[in-house]
Amino acid sequence: MSELLPDIRDDILEVLIDEETLQNKVAELAAQITRDYAGQDLLLVGALKGAAVFMVDLSLQIPLPLSMDFMAISSYGASTKSSGVVRILKDLDASIEERNVLIVEDIVDSGLTLSYLAEHLRARGPASLKICALLNKPSRRSSNVQVDYLGFDIPDKFVVGYGLDFAEKYRNLPFIGVLKPELYR
Ligand code: IMP
Ligand code: MG
């Protein structure tokens, strides 16, 4: 019977970053962050929904007394390309004034979303503001955004899994993969 169940893994053409490689990198980033923020007050700010899986995994490996908050943002317009004009769908619950803020993102593509978000949060007067991103597409960068903690540079391919979606699906894959092209239609 079980072979009749749909399996999202069947939609994947290629695994780009497997589960073990992901987990090793998350541990490495968490260790760096733990060293850098030891003895300081740290607030992780996740960009919903893509960064949720990564942020939870990352936080589980940072044994500091941190707090977490989330923002939901969306680019204006329905295109697959970022416009750089960002709408806040859900704001942070609390003030970030005088706090050490670490923005956690799933992927930096053009960088427009993240540079807007960083500028916006910087204006609220945090003690410090840094960025942690799991994935980066360097060939697509159009905006100047400095990522302080980076997981992987990847080629310019549309990827899903580990929080990243296509039409709200595939976020629950435990690895990063490329979808079969026939599914884009
Ligand atoms: P940017 O403003 O162009 O950097 O867009 C970044 C946002 O686009 C990310 O937070 C993702 O939500 C989305 N995105 C960019 N590339 C991909 C991808 O390959 N797969 C899934 N989502 C992506
Ligand atoms: Mg996103």
Side-chain angles (χ1 to χ4, degrees):
M1 288 298 271
S2 66
E3 65 270 17
L4 296 176
L5 291 172
D7 188 326
I8 51 173
R9 291 170 294 190
D10 296 338
D11 295 348
I12 298 301
L13 176 72
E14 176 200 358
V15 175
L16 212 59
I17 307 170
D18 67 29
E19 195 171 353
E20 191 191 345
T21 310
L22 267 181
Q23 290 303 325
N24 288 341
K25 183 62 79 178
V26 170
E28 202 180 291
L29 293 171
Q32 272 183 49
I33 292 165
T34 302
R35 278 195 303 273
D36 293 355
Y37 288 91
Q40 297 177 54
D41 164 59
L42 171 60
L43 174 67
L44 301 181
V45 169
L48 292 171
K49 292 168 249 184
V53 175
F54 172 47
M55 185 158 124
V56 167
D57 261 6
L58 187 72
S59 71
L60 292 176
Q61 305 210 47
I62 305 175
L64 299 175
L66 56 79
S67 5
M68 299 189 223
D69 208 341
F70 290 95
M71 275 180 99
I73 48 180
S74 105
S75 287
Y76 274 115
S79 115
T80 53
K81 298 254 167 64
S82 200
S83 62
V85 182
V86 170
R87 194 159 48 111
I88 294 174
L89 304 175
K90 182 223 170 284
D91 206 340
L92 298 173
D93 289 341
S95 165
I96 59 169
E97 212 175 326
E98 295 304 317
R99 304 208 62 189
N100 296 300
V101 174
L102 180 60
I103 299 176
V104 180
E105 245 298 28
D106 50 0
I107 187 166
V108 192
D109 187 12
S110 69
L112 290 168
T113 305
L114 201 49
S115 59
Y116 179 91
L117 184 61
E119 282 320 303
H120 186 85
L121 293 184
R122 201 167 274 127
R124 297 183 186 182
S128 69
L129 184 73
K130 291 212 259 180
I131 294 171
C132 174
L134 180 67
L135 304 174
N136 178 43
K137 289 181 187 169
S139 65
R140 299 252 310 149
R141 186 61 28 81
S142 69
S143 132
N144 237 352
V145 56
Q146 190 208 327
V147 177
D148 303 279
Y149 304 94
L150 173 66
F152 304 92
D153 282 328
I154 60 165
D156 182 19
K157 290 180 177 176
F158 190 82
V159 294
V160 295
Y162 202 65
L164 291 139
D165 73 305
F166 172 65
E168 294 298 326
K169 296 290 192 300
Y170 307 104
R171 296 193 197 274
N172 55 323
L173 281 171
F175 54 81
I176 301 287
V178 178
L179 275 183
K180 291 177 179 168
E182 60 264 33
L183 291 159
Y184 288 103
R185 273 179 282 115

